[in-house]
Amino acid sequence: MKYRELINKMTLEEKASLMSGKDFWQTESIDRLGINNIFLADGPHGIRKQAEAADHLGLNESIPATCFPTAATVANSWNTNLGEEIGEYLGEEAVAQNVNVLLGPGINMKRDPLCGRNFEYFSEDPYHAGKIAASYIKGIQSHGISACVKHFAANNQEERRMTIDTVVDERTLREIYLTAFEIAIKEGKTKTVMSSYNRLNGEYTNENIHLMQEILRDEWGYDGVVVTDWGGSNDRVAGLIAGNELEMPTTAGETDKDIVHAVKEGKISEEVLDVCVDRLLELVFSTEKVFERNPSLTFDIEKHHQKAQQAAEESIVLLKNEENILPLPQGIKVATIGDFAKNPRYQGAGSSIVNPTKLDNTLDVLEQLPIDHIGYEQGFERYGKRNKGMLNKACKLAAEADVVLLYIGLDEATEAEGLDRNSMKIPGNQLELLDAVHQINPNIVAVLSCGAAIEMPWIDKVKGLVHGYLSGQAGAKAVLSVITGEVNPSGKLAESYPFRYVDTPASQHFPGKELSVEYREGLFIGYRYYDTANVNVLFPFGYGLSYTTFAYDDIQVTKDGVTFKITNTGDVAGAEIAQLYVQCQSQEIFRPKKELKGFSKVYLQPNETKEVYIPFDDKTFRYFNVKTNKWEIETADYGIMIGTSSKDIRLEQTISIEGTSAPVPYDKAKLPSYYSGKANHVEQVEFEQLLGRKVPVANWDRSKPLGYNDTIAQCQYAKGMVARFAFHLISFSHRFLQKIGKRDTANLIMMSVYHMPFRGIARMTGGIVNMPMLDGILQMVNGNFFKGLRHFLKERRRMLKSQKETI
C-alpha cells in the first residue's frame, strides 16, 4: 500500500469516516493528518456544481459552465480527437470550479430506444462507446483531476433503476455491456468508476464480487476508486468487501458505524478497509495537486463556446436531402416554425443539467445570415397541447416562404433521468403541424432535436432532415451553419433508427416492471440484430449524408490491420467516417452478422485521395467462451468489411485466422433463435438454456411484508391503510400535475418518490432519517401503524440525543 504509514496513524473510526461523504458532494477530511476533502460534481457534458442547496435531480441552479453537446450527440462525430478536446475543456472548467472528480462520461449501452437516459450515453455499440469514452477520460484527466466512468454496469433502464435485477447471460454481459467499460478503463485509465443502482444477476452491482473483484480488479487490473451512484448503497459492509470505497452522499456517520462494528466483530478484515482507504487517499492526493499549482484558475468563456459549436457542427447528422434542398442558397425566402427554434432543446434533464455560460438562439442567428428570413411562428405548444390558432398562423407564414425550417422534436420532460419514454413517437400536435404545413408548402427542412431514436412515419413530408440531437449551448448556430452550407455535415448515427418500436429486439422485455428485466435478446441489440435478422430499418447504424461524395477502393488486409483509399469525388471539402466491420464466417458459435471493430474520420478536399489504415487489436476477433470462462478466438475465415454504415459495405476481403482451439460452448439445437439471430421473441426455456440456470421470479410477492428494497409504488399492496392511502395520493398527484401541464413536477414525483426503495429514504436524506427510523416507517407500512410510529419517534429522539452529545 502506498500510504500505509499514514493509514497506521488513523483510528478505526477515522478510516471508516473516509468511506462515505461529508455532505452531498464532498468527501470527509481528517484535518489532523492533513487529509482534505475533495469535491465531486456532475459533468458528462458540462460542470454542474450547484451554488445553492445540493440535489441529484437538477432542481437547483448550478454555477455557469459551458454546456457542450451531450454524449449521444458527440458520438455521431465518431471523432476520438474531438472527444479528447472536449474532455480537456471540461477538465479545465472543473479545475476552475475546484472540482476534483467529474462524474462522467456515461457509457451504458443503448439496449432499447426508450431508455430515458439514452441522451447521456454514446452508442448501441460497445467498441464505439468505449473508444470515445476513453478519449473523454484522457482529456479530463490531462488536468490532473479524475473522470468517473459510469454506471457500472448493465444499467439500461430508468424505471425502478434502484432495485431492478438485470438478468443477462455471461457472454452477453462481457461482449456487449462490459466491453465499453473495459476499453474506457484500460485505455482511458480513469481514476474513478461509479457503480450502478441496479442488481446484476441477483446482486447489487457494488456488492457483486464477480463484477467488482474478479472482472474489474483482477482481470482488468483496475486500482482506482469505486463510488456508488448517489443513494446506491444497499449493504455498506458487503459493498466494502467487494471493493466499493466511497459511498455518496453522506449518511451522517450511520454507515461508518456499520463498518466499525463489522471490523470489530470480525465480519471484515481491517486490512480490507485499509486497502480501500489507500485507494481513496491516492485519489485525494493526486487530484488536489492541480489546485496547489493553480489556486485561482479561470477559463475563456468565448473560446469554450466556440469549441462547443465545433463539437456540435461535427456531430450534426444530415438524414435526408431530397432534390438537394440543402444547403440553402443566398437570398431564398425562409420561414421558421416551431417552438424549439425560439426556446432550444439543447440538453437533457436530471443530474446532467448545465447552467450555460451563454446560449445561442436560432432567431438571432438567422438575422445574421445571407437569406431572406420572413418571420417566425411558434406553431405548437411545447408539451403536446393542441392549439389551432398557433397552427393557422404557422400555415399562413409557410405559404409566403420558399422554404420552411420546421423545428420539431422531444421536450425535456419526455427525455429525463429517472424515467423511460412511453413510445418512440414525437408529440401528435407537432405531426399535425407538419401535415398542415406540408399541404401548403412541400419545401420543408425539418430540424430535429432529441437525444435518442424516434419513429418517423412522417419523413416523406419533408425534403430535408437535419438531426442536431442535443447540441449544447452553441447548437443553434451550428445547425444553421450546416443548413446554409458554411459547414459540410459529417456526423453519422451511433444508433439505428427502426421504422417502428415493435421492430426493436428488446421491445418484449423493456422495461422490467417489477423485480427483474430479462435480456432475452442476448448479443443481438441494435444493428447486430437488424443486420443479422434481416430487419429493415429507416436509418442504419453509421448512416449520415454529406454535401459531397466519397469513393472507396484498393483494400489490403494483413494480419495486423486493413488499408484502403478514400477519394472525395465531389465539389466541396468534407469528412468521411469509414467503418470497419468484422464477420466470422464459421457457423459453430453464434455471432452477429457483423460487428464494428474500428473506425476512422478522414478529412478530404475535392478530388483528394487519402490512404487509411485501421489496425486490428485484441478485440477484433475475440468472443467470450462461457465454457472456458475467458476470451477466445475461433479458427475461421473472417470477412473484413469497410462501410459507410452497417448496411452500406463498400469494400470486403477475407482473412483466415488461427484460433485458440477452445471447445464449442453451446448445443446449437437448443438455441435456434440465437443461431438465426432472430432473437426478438425468445421463449423462456431457450433463454434459460443460454443463461445456464432458471430465470428468477419477475413479479413481486404481494403476500410478503414490504422491506428496505421494496419501492414506494408497492405501497398499493401494503397491509397498512395509511400506506395505501399515501400511494393513491401520490398517484393522483402525478396524474393531476400531468393533466394541468406541470410535467416536470409530475416527473419528479416518479423519479424521487414513486420508484424510490424505502432504503433510499435513509440513504438520500443526509441523516435526517436513519435506518432504525426506517424500521418504524416499515412497521407502519406493514399494518402496525401505532407501534411503528412509536418506534420511529423513539429512534428519532435517540438520534437527536446522539447528535447533541457528539457536538
Side-chain angles (χ1 to χ4, degrees):
M1 291 193 300
K2 188 174 182 180
Y3 300 100
R4 182 176 290 280
E5 185 176 341
L6 181 60
I7 292 169
N8 288 341
K9 296 177 182 177
M10 296 181 194
T11 65
L12 176 58
E13 287 74 16
E14 285 175 328
K15 294 175 187 177
S17 74
L18 293 176
M19 298 293 95
S20 65
K22 170 186 175 183
D23 55 27
F24 212 84
W25 297 114
Q26 297 181 90
T27 64
E28 277 286 2
S29 61
I30 303 177
D31 295 339
R32 74 176 185 88
L33 296 175
I35 300 169
N36 300 321
N37 55 45
I38 59 174
F39 198 100
L40 301 88
D42 282 312
H45 60 271
I47 317 303
R48 191 178 79 91
K49 184 176 182 181
Q50 289 173 302
E52 303 297 334
D55 69 84
H56 195 50
L57 301 170
L59 301 180
N60 296 319
E61 196 171 76
S62 56
I63 298 168
T66 308
C67 181
F68 289 92
T70 68
T73 312
V74 177
N76 296 330
S77 75
W78 295 63
N79 188 340
T80 55
N81 292 331
L82 176 64
E84 188 163 349
E85 288 172 2
I86 293 171
E88 289 173 1
Y89 279 67
L90 289 169
E92 183 181 351
E93 294 193 26
V95 171
Q97 293 193 24
N98 291 301
V99 169
N100 301 73
V101 180
L102 198 55
L103 301 175
I107 59 172
N108 296 100
M109 288 298 96
K110 295 185 178 185
R111 173 184 180 240
D112 190 279
L114 299 187
C115 174
R117 211 167 178 179
N118 274 352
F119 64 85
E120 205 171 318
Y121 302 140
F122 288 110
S123 181
E124 68 185 31
D125 181 85
Y127 188 89
H128 177 270
K131 289 292 185 179
I132 298 183
S135 71
Y136 266 68
I137 293 164
K138 290 174 187 175
I140 292 167
Q141 296 190 166
S142 68
H143 290 276
I145 64 164
S146 173
C148 179
V149 68
K150 62 183 186 181
H151 307 89
F152 191 62
N155 172 205
N156 306 104
Q157 71 175 62
E158 289 297 287
E159 185 171 327
R160 304 198 70 253
R161 61 181 177 166
M162 293 185 77
T163 58
I164 200 73
D165 182 13
T166 297
V167 182
V168 58
D169 70 282
E170 184 71 9
R171 182 180 172 199
T172 298
L173 176 67
R174 296 299 197 104
E175 292 189 20
I176 302 297
Y177 297 101
L178 294 187
T179 291
F181 285 98
E182 180 186 358
I183 295 170
I185 289 166
K186 286 183 175 181
E187 297 182 15
K189 301 188 185 305
T190 185
K191 297 178 182 179
T192 313
V193 171
M194 182 188 290
S195 58
S196 56
Y197 284 126
N198 54 288
R199 289 181 170 104
L200 175 59
N201 292 325
E203 293 183 284
Y204 280 100
T205 57
N206 76 311
E207 302 169 10
N208 192 310
I209 296 293
H210 178 55
L211 182 68
M212 289 292 171
Q213 288 289 349
E214 295 172 1
I215 297 175
L216 178 64
R217 303 286 188 188
D218 299 340
E219 188 177 318
W220 297 350
Y222 178 68
D223 60 359
V225 167
V226 175
V227 59
T228 66
D229 204 339
W230 265 235
S233 176
N234 170 50
D235 182 325
R236 185 65 192 101
V237 174
L240 199 67
I241 291 170
N244 172 193
E245 286 78 19
L246 182 59
E247 175 192 26
M248 292 298 287
T250 182
T251 59
E254 182 178 16
T255 55
D256 300 347
K257 294 175 184 175
D258 293 342
I259 294 170
V260 170
H261 291 155
V263 172
K264 288 181 176 179
E265 294 171 7
K267 293 180 180 177
I268 181 173
S269 164
E270 191 166 355
E271 181 67 18
V272 171
L273 175 59
D274 288 350
V275 170
C276 290
V277 171
D278 191 68
R279 292 187 190 125
L280 185 70
L281 290 177
E282 174 62 17
L283 179 66
V284 172
F285 293 139
S286 67
T287 60
E288 69 180 6
K289 288 177 183 176
V290 66
F291 304 109
E292 295 168 4
R293 295 193 302 266
N294 305 289
S296 58
L297 274 182
T298 58
F299 65 93
D300 186 330
I301 290 175
E302 191 56 40
K303 180 182 176 183
H304 284 225
H305 183 77
Q306 291 302 315
K307 179 57 66 175
Q309 182 180 328
Q310 181 205 337
E313 288 170 350
E314 277 211 48
S315 306
I316 290 166
V317 187
L318 180 61
L319 292 176
K320 187 176 181 181
N321 195 19
E322 185 180 319
E323 299 175 8
N324 291 319
I325 193 170
L326 295 175
L328 296 180
Q330 292 187 13
I332 195 169
K333 290 199 313 185
V334 174
T336 305
I337 296 171
D339 184 52
F340 295 125
K342 187 175 182 180
N343 302 296
R345 172 84 204 290
Y346 61 98
Q347 64 174 324
S351 65
S352 65
I353 288 179
V354 178
N355 180 18
T357 55
K358 58 188 292 188
L359 183 60
D360 286 347
N361 183 279
T362 297
L363 301 183
D364 294 337
V365 177
L366 275 166
E367 299 308 320
Q368 304 166 17
L369 299 178
I371 57 176
D372 182 6
H373 185 232
I374 64 172
Y376 162 78
E377 287 293 344
Q378 183 176 338
F380 61 85
E381 293 199 19
R382 196 176 189 89
Y383 296 113
K385 186 177 179 182
R386 288 175 170 81
N387 189 316
K388 191 70 173 176
M390 283 185 182
L391 187 148
N392 289 338
K393 287 181 181 179
C395 289
K396 183 178 179 182
L397 178 65
E400 301 171 9
D402 297 324
V403 171
V404 174
L405 296 182
L406 184 63
Y407 283 73
I408 56 176
L410 298 177
D411 60 76
E412 41 281 286
T414 299
E415 292 183 288
E417 178 184 353
L419 299 164
D420 295 314
R421 289 158 58 198
N422 293 322
S423 77
M424 284 182 67
K425 296 176 171 59
I426 63 173
N429 65 337
Q430 295 184 37
L431 299 184
E432 289 174 5
L433 172 66
L434 171 57
D435 186 59
V437 170
H438 177 259
Q439 293 179 34
I440 292 166
N441 187 338
N443 295 320
I444 299 172
V445 174
V447 179
L448 192 58
S449 297
C450 57
I454 60 170
E455 293 176 1
M456 300 185 197
W458 41 266
I459 195 167
D460 290 340
K461 294 177 181 176
V462 302
K463 289 186 177 178
L465 180 56
V466 177
H467 200 338
Y469 267 70
L470 302 178
S471 51
Q473 66 181 52
K477 190 169 183 180
V479 166
L480 288 171
S481 294
V482 166
I483 286 173
T484 59
E486 182 182 340
V487 170
N488 188 354
S490 62
K492 295 197 175 190
L493 294 174
E495 60 188 321
S496 307
Y497 274 59
F499 284 103
R500 305 167 303 159
Y501 180 62
V502 294
D503 295 336
T504 63
S507 61
Q508 300 297 310
H509 298 278
F510 181 92
K513 285 290 185 180
E514 295 194 2
L515 289 176
S516 66
V517 55
E518 297 171 10
Y519 284 28
R520 292 198 187 185
E521 71 284 354
L523 302 174
F524 298 97
I525 71 166
Y527 74 89
R528 284 170 165 78
Y529 166 69
Y530 300 121
D531 290 358
T532 308
N534 295 315
V535 175
N536 288 327
V537 295
L538 179 61
F539 297 116
F541 176 80
Y543 175 86
L545 300 175
S546 170
Y547 295 147
T548 190
T549 53
F550 301 95
Y552 288 68
D553 61 16
D554 196 18
I555 184 172
Q556 304 289 330
V557 178
T558 70
K559 63 182 179 60
D560 297 316
V562 55
T563 305
F564 54 95
K565 291 177 181 176
I566 301 179
T567 302
N568 182 344
T569 54
D571 299 325
V572 295
E576 172 68 336
I577 298 164
Q579 301 155 41
L580 164 64
Y581 295 91
V582 173
Q583 176 191 46
C584 179
Q585 297 177 353
S586 166
Q587 304 300 314
E588 291 300 309
I589 298 168
F590 70 84
R591 298 173 90 152
K593 185 175 182 179
K594 62 176 77 79
E595 297 178 276
L596 184 76
K597 298 297 181 178
F599 54 90
S600 180
K601 191 164 190 174
V602 185
Y603 298 84
L604 296 161
Q605 295 297 319
N607 300 314
E608 183 182 10
T609 299
K610 284 186 179 178
E611 186 173 85
V612 182
Y613 174 66
I614 300 178
F616 299 151
D617 61 21
D618 63 330
K619 297 167 187 67
T620 304
F621 304 107
R622 75 179 190 178
Y623 75 97
F624 192 82
N625 189 303
V626 294
K627 188 169 281 188
T628 64
N629 195 38
K630 62 181 183 179
W631 295 101
E632 305 283 3
I633 295 175
E634 190 176 1
T635 298
D637 290 338
Y638 289 81
I640 305 300
M641 297 172 280
I642 303 297
T644 69
S645 75
S646 71
K647 288 283 191 183
D648 186 3
I649 302 301
R650 299 293 182 87
L651 301 171
E652 187 168 3
Q653 201 172 99
T654 301
I655 185 173
S656 296
I657 298 294
E658 185 70 29
T660 52
S661 302
V664 175
Y666 304 115
D667 183 340
K668 189 173 183 178
K670 294 180 179 179
L671 299 171
S673 300
Y674 300 107
Y675 274 87
S676 69
K678 297 177 180 177
N680 57 328
H681 291 288
V682 177
E683 296 296 330
Q684 181 173 319
V685 65
E686 187 178 354
F687 180 54
E688 288 178 338
Q689 183 68 31
L690 179 70
L691 200 61
R693 63 182 188 278
K694 293 286 185 182
V695 296
V697 175
N699 298 319
W700 294 314
D701 184 345
R702 288 151 173 76
S703 67
K704 285 186 176 180
L706 299 184
Y708 295 142
N709 289 317
D710 292 312
T711 64
I712 308 300
Q714 289 170 255
C715 283
Q716 61 188 299
Y717 311 118
K719 293 180 181 179
M721 186 185 303
V722 173
R724 293 197 303 274
F725 175 77
F727 166 78
H728 291 298
L729 182 62
I730 291 167
S731 298
F732 170 78
S733 300
H734 177 257
R735 290 193 301 271
F736 177 74
L737 288 166
Q738 278 197 316
K739 192 169 185 180
I740 64 173
K742 302 285 187 181
R743 293 181 62 197
D744 284 339
T745 310
N747 285 352
L748 184 61
I749 288 175
M750 296 301 285
M751 281 191 290
S752 60
V753 181
Y754 193 84
H755 293 305
M756 177 74 74
F758 281 98
R759 65 176 163 80
I761 299 172
R763 296 292 188 244
M764 290 292 280
T765 54
I768 294 173
V769 176
N770 63 19
M771 294 299 280
M773 292 164 65
L774 183 60
D775 290 335
I777 293 173
L778 285 169
Q779 286 179 10
M780 289 187 271
V781 165
N782 289 315
N784 297 304
F785 180 79
F786 292 106
K787 182 179 177 182
L789 181 60
R790 285 194 300 271
H791 184 89
F792 177 87
L793 295 174
K794 173 184 156 188
E795 293 298 335
R796 177 168 173 75
R797 286 192 297 269
R798 181 178 293 176
M799 181 186 74
L800 293 173
K801 181 180 178 182
S802 175
Q803 289 173 349
K804 285 180 181 177
E805 290 173 352
T806 303
I807 293 170

